[in-house]
Amino acid sequence: MTDHSTPVIRTVGVPAEIKTAEHRVALTPDGVRELTGSGVGVFVETNAGVGASITDHDYVAAGATIVPTAADAWAQELVVKVKEPMESEFGFLRADLTLFTYLHLAAYPAVADALLAAGTTGVAYETVQLEDGTLPLLAPMSEVAGRLAPQMGAHFLESHKGGRGVLMGGVPGVSPAKVVVLGAGNVGWSSAVIAAGMEAEVTVLDKNLERLRYVDQIHKGRISTLASNMGSIERTVREADLVIGAVLVAGGRAPVVVREDLVAEMRPGAVIVDVAVDQGGCIATTHETTHDDPVYELHGVLHYAVGNMPGAVPHTSTYALTNATLPYVTDVAIHGALGAARRDPAITHGLNTVGGEHANPIVAAALGATAVDALG
């Protein structure tokens, strides 16, 4: 195939996020200091960090240059973001640009089309993968979203929000809320821990029995575990006050594990929080919502399906994200995307688009396409 070589990157742009109610930013001042110390210039759009309680002064003190417009930030050789580019940002994409962010192309095919048409090198946080199969750049946001999910569920279970009027922990003499968590990965485990801490009755379902053994060993019966299959899902979901969808397929579309007819059989006023919605959702009745308008009712069940849940706590999320992404961003900035991928196989998995072609087989398959070997 064509040699899609990429030059060493010397400038990094950090634009402000424009997705609805998205207040995270892709880089902290400590991240800026790390990059500038490696000889990489960092150009931050003015006020990009305000939502995460980071000022322009903080960035300047760390060595960044503040630029007045998004176009100035996007003009750099490497752009780091939090969320996928919005349609209004597609015009900034170009062939000599490397974009490093959460892309979730299986759920957002229009973004994939835009990256391919522009010839942009797209590197996705969520598909950077270690040899043991773990996803180091997805993990911190999965943990944040997982910890938020029971909070959001508890809030919308309140009757004045349209819920069943159930208190998560109950009180002496009154049963606690029944919480069902579908998936025992980072999102599911984090959700279960917080729900159990709120003294709810928590059941976690997963196909991976080793993962369930881990949860059981850690929590010593405080969290019930069940092997996930059609029967166990049907029985638990019907009786649940709160269902948290936490099913993940790395790079691909989340499988639908709860059918619409099962949602229709749930208790009136029950709540669904589908954390997998940014990968298409694992509940048949969910579609993406926003922080400004987070829930809708269907079949008498409230659905919370915000696609950027960690954006609700942008300060915590920004620092957690940079802690995880910084070593990889630095590697890509210093060696170029393909150079970094040749040095680190984890980054090879992160390559989603290169030179107008798909580069990740799982993502490509989810979009009905074929991937090429970008390093071949």
Side-chain angles (χ1 to χ4, degrees), residues 72-91:
D72 295 316
W74 279 93
Q76 310 311 314
E77 295 157 285
L78 169 64
V79 166
V80 291
K81 289 182 83 277
V82 178
K83 295 303 293 180
E84 74 282 351
M86 301 291 100
E87 186 175 356
S88 62
E89 296 172 306
F90 289 174

Side-chain angles (χ1 to χ4, degrees), residues 359-370:
N360 182 293
I362 296 176
V363 174
L367 293 167
T370 303

Side-chain angles (χ1 to χ4, degrees), residues 144-184:
V144 171
R147 292 178 181 224
L148 274 173
Q151 291 184 202
M152 296 299 103
H155 180 61
F156 287 103
L157 274 172
E158 296 173 8
S159 62
H160 67 286
K161 293 294 183 180
R164 281 175 49 76
V166 175
L167 181 65
M168 286 284 274
V171 293
V174 181
S175 297
K178 292 184 178 180
V179 178
V180 173
V181 181
L182 303 172

Side-chain angles (χ1 to χ4, degrees), residues 147-361:
R147 292 178 181 224
L148 274 173
Q151 291 184 202
M152 296 299 103
H155 180 61
F156 287 103
L157 274 172
E158 296 173 8
S159 62
H160 67 286
K161 293 294 183 180
R164 281 175 49 76
V166 175
L167 181 65
M168 286 284 274
V171 293
V174 181
S175 297
K178 292 184 178 180
V179 178
V180 173
V181 181
L182 303 172
N186 284 326
V187 171
W189 184 64
S190 298
S191 294
V193 169
I194 297 302
M198 298 169 81
E199 300 188 354
E201 178 185 317
V202 183
T203 302
V204 178
L205 292 85
D206 200 290
K207 290 184 176 182
N208 186 333
L209 297 184
E210 287 303 315
R211 187 66 183 174
L212 294 181
R213 287 191 182 97
Y214 172 79
V215 172
D216 188 64
Q217 289 168 1
I218 294 295
H219 295 287
K220 303 296 183 185
R222 289 181 60 238
I223 296 173
S224 299
T225 60
L226 285 177
S228 180
N229 54 57
M230 290 179 64
S232 62
I233 291 172
E234 289 173 0
R235 288 190 297 273
T236 54
V237 168
R238 281 193 192 102
E239 298 300 316
D241 296 300
L242 169 62
V243 173
I244 297 173
V247 180
L248 168 72
V249 174
R253 195 192 188 287
V256 174
V257 297
V258 176
R259 306 180 312 273
E260 182 168 358
D261 63 321
L262 181 54
V263 173
E265 295 176 12
M266 291 177 65
R267 293 171 167 178
V271 175
I272 288 173
V273 177
D274 194 347
V275 187
V277 71
D278 59 1
Q279 291 185 283
C282 64
I283 313 290
T285 49
T286 55
H287 62 258
E288 188 170 354
T289 60
T290 67
H291 288 294
D292 289 346
D293 189 15
V295 297
Y296 59 92
E297 180 271 328
L298 184 62
H299 299 306
V301 176
L302 284 182
H303 292 62
Y304 178 99
V306 175
N308 57 327
M309 285 182 66
V313 285
H315 182 80
T316 297
S317 298
T318 290
Y319 279 86
L321 180 62
T322 296
N323 288 343
T325 60
L326 185 57
Y328 296 92
V329 170
T330 302
D331 205 10
V332 171
I334 292 173
H335 301 286
L338 299 192
R342 292 187 178 97
R343 291 166 50 89
D344 185 352
I347 296 176
T348 303
H349 292 292
L351 295 173
N352 278 209
T353 62
V354 176
E357 297 172 287
H358 286 283
N360 182 293

Side-chain angles (χ1 to χ4, degrees), residues 2-50:
T2 305
D3 178 19
H4 298 301
S5 59
T6 55
V8 174
I9 293 167
R10 289 301 177 199
T11 62
V12 173
V14 184
E17 299 294 322
I18 62 170
K19 189 164 186 168
T20 302
E22 179 54 75
H23 301 298
R24 289 174 289 179
V25 64
L27 207 61
T28 62
D30 283 346
V32 169
R33 188 176 299 279
E34 192 78 13
L35 288 167
T36 56
S38 298
V40 178
V42 180
F43 297 81
V44 180
E45 182 181 354
T46 186
N47 294 324
V50 168

